């Protein structure tokens, strides 16, 4: 099998090289947070505006190969709004970008269904977008979007208040979400697995399991914020559990993780991957992480319980890195 894991150090160097060239700054314009966070914040006096841009990635190839496009619009919305809420912003609007090989009205209908469902779950308006027919550029389809959110500036959650003894909670994912699909497709192809076969250990087809849409956490997080002073949040996407380190450089002990769903266990087995690789590629059933003070545990659980599966997965210590003792995983930094 080809190389499965993106070289995150090289990726970080690429991003740094790109950003070093962007030196111009408008003088009457201020950003709040540094580049490289989950979302970008613009200072508007008492308020801040969040901007996000993300796409569905190579999951769209599976949608194309199975001719099933009705859920990936949900993924596109989710990838943006789940990043926006990490700082406490409320997403309010989205514009999309669809890049296609050719015009197909059935694809348009199915994409629209997914975007509409995602918008409803996230409580955002889709206010515009762009469609490009570029057969020389894309083989199938590429989908991305930009989201806009609002928040009061004094309520921004930066992660800086995270301290030793804080509790780490995770909202359960709905499966793979929209990351790691280059690895997934390599495993499927190298093992001659058909998308219409039953996924091992499931009463669903392989396509059903792989195209399960990304869970959207907007309403649960915003409701929790209104009751509990949240210290930090992380969307577990590309880079897996390493996304926790993007909040603040501390020692995160994940000593009570979710038991990985069947899809992860099977990919580990079939793909002959290690737990280190799995936790760096996939969310491993922890889709979104919230860090709070222990004294707020009861109030937090009262708000989110019975809405989305949630679990206390660990705690914070002084130091650096992320450890998952059950799987002998020890990680340092995001890049």
């Amino acid at each position: 099998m080809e190389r499965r894991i993106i070289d995150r150090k090289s990726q970080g160097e690429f991003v740094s090289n790109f950003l070093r060239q962007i030196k111009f700054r408008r003088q009457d314009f201020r950003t709040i947070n540094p580049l490289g966070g989950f979302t970008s914040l613009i200072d508007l006096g008492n308020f801040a505006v969040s901007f996000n841009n993300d796409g569905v990635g190579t999951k769209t190839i599976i949608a194309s190969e199975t001719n099933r496009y009705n859920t990936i619009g949900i993924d596109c919305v989710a990838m943006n709004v789940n990043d926006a809420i990490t700082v406490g912003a409320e997403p309010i609007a989205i514009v999309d970008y669809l890049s296609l090989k050719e015009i197909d009205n059935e694809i348009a209908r199915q994409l629209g269904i997914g975007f509409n469902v995602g918008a409803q779950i996230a409580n955002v308006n889709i206010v515009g977008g762009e469609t490009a027919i570029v057969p020389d550029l894309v083989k199938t389809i590429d989908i991305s979007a930009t989201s806009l959110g609002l928040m009061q500036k004094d309520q921004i959650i930066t992660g800086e208040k995270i301290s030793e003894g804080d509790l780490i909670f995770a909202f359960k994912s709905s499966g793979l979400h929209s990351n790691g699909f280059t690895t997934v497709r390599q495993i499927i192809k190298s093992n001659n697995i058909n998308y219409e076969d039953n996924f091992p250990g499931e009463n669903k087809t392989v396509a059903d399991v792989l195209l399960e849409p990304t869970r959207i956490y907007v309403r649960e997080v915003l409701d929790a914020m209104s009751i509990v002073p949240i210290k930090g949040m992380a969307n577990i996407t590309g880079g897996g559990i390493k996304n926790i380190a993007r909040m603040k450089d501390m020692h995160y002990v994940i000593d009570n993780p979710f038991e990985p769903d069947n899809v992860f266990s099977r990919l580990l087995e079939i793909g002959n991957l290690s737990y280190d690789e799995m936790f760096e590629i996939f969310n491993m059933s922890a889709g979104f992480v919230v860090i709070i003070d222990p004294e707020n545990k009861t109030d937090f659980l009262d708000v989110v319980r019975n809405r989305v599966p949630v679990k206390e997965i660990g705690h914070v210590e002084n130091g650096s890195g992320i450890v998952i003792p059950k799987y002998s995983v020890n990680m340092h930094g995001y890049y």
Side-chain angles (χ1 to χ4, degrees), residues 162 177 288 298:
I162 295 172
H177 284 188
F288 195 90
T298 299

Side-chain angles (χ1 to χ4, degrees), residues 156-229:
I156 296 171
I157 298 169
T158 65
E160 286 306 308
K161 293 182 180 180
I162 295 172
S163 60
E164 184 175 26
D166 286 341
L167 303 181
I168 307 171
F169 283 86
F171 291 134
K172 199 171 187 298
S173 71
S174 56
L176 292 168
H177 284 188
S178 298
N179 298 96
F181 276 88
T182 297
T183 300
V184 170
R185 291 185 301 103
Q186 289 171 348
I187 293 172
I188 295 298
K189 182 178 180 180
S190 64
N191 287 275
N192 296 314
I193 297 172
N194 190 294
Y195 287 124
E196 297 310 314
D197 292 341
N198 266 19
F199 192 90
E202 303 270 0
N203 290 321
K204 299 178 180 179
T205 66
V206 173
D208 288 335
V209 171
L210 301 187
L211 291 175
E212 181 70 30
T214 306
R215 179 167 275 154
I216 294 173
Y217 303 101
V218 171
R219 295 175 190 262
E220 291 80 9
V221 165
L222 293 180
D223 286 350
M225 279 179 51
S226 68
I227 303 295
V228 176

Side-chain angles (χ1 to χ4, degrees), residues 82-265:
N82 286 345
D83 272 353
I85 57 176
T86 58
V87 295
E90 178 175 359
I92 61 172
I94 280 180
V95 293
D96 60 71
Y97 178 74
L98 312 178
S99 179
L100 302 97
K101 179 180 180 180
E102 59 189 3
I103 295 172
D104 188 317
N105 287 326
E106 177 57 21
I107 292 176
R109 186 187 70 84
Q110 291 191 39
L111 287 175
I113 289 172
F115 270 100
N116 184 65
V117 172
Q120 184 177 19
I121 297 171
N123 195 30
V124 299
N125 283 355
I126 297 176
V127 296
E130 173 70 12
T131 300
I133 310 301
V134 284
D136 294 332
L137 185 62
V138 297
K139 295 180 180 179
T140 54
I141 186 171
D142 188 31
I143 301 173
S144 63
T146 299
S147 70
L148 179 146
L150 291 174
M151 66 183 308
Q152 292 187 18
K153 201 163 64 176
D154 60 1
Q155 295 181 359
I156 296 171
I157 298 169
T158 65
E160 286 306 308
K161 293 182 180 180
I162 295 172
S163 60
E164 184 175 26
D166 286 341
L167 303 181
I168 307 171
F169 283 86
F171 291 134
K172 199 171 187 298
S173 71
S174 56
L176 292 168
H177 284 188
S178 298
N179 298 96
F181 276 88
T182 297
T183 300
V184 170
R185 291 185 301 103
Q186 289 171 348
I187 293 172
I188 295 298
K189 182 178 180 180
S190 64
N191 287 275
N192 296 314
I193 297 172
N194 190 294
Y195 287 124
E196 297 310 314
D197 292 341
N198 266 19
F199 192 90
E202 303 270 0
N203 290 321
K204 299 178 180 179
T205 66
V206 173
D208 288 335
V209 171
L210 301 187
L211 291 175
E212 181 70 30
T214 306
R215 179 167 275 154
I216 294 173
Y217 303 101
V218 171
R219 295 175 190 262
E220 291 80 9
V221 165
L222 293 180
D223 286 350
M225 279 179 51
S226 68
I227 303 295
V228 176
I230 294 174
K231 290 189 170 184
M233 291 184 280
N235 188 18
I236 310 303
T237 56
I241 203 70
K242 281 188 169 185
N243 280 279
I244 294 178
R246 298 169 68 181
M247 292 184 286
K248 185 180 181 181
D249 187 17
M250 298 289 287
H251 186 57
Y252 300 95
V253 181
I254 313 299
D255 52 12
N256 187 34
F258 275 114
E259 187 71 26
D261 285 336
N262 178 66
V263 63
F264 301 110
S265 300

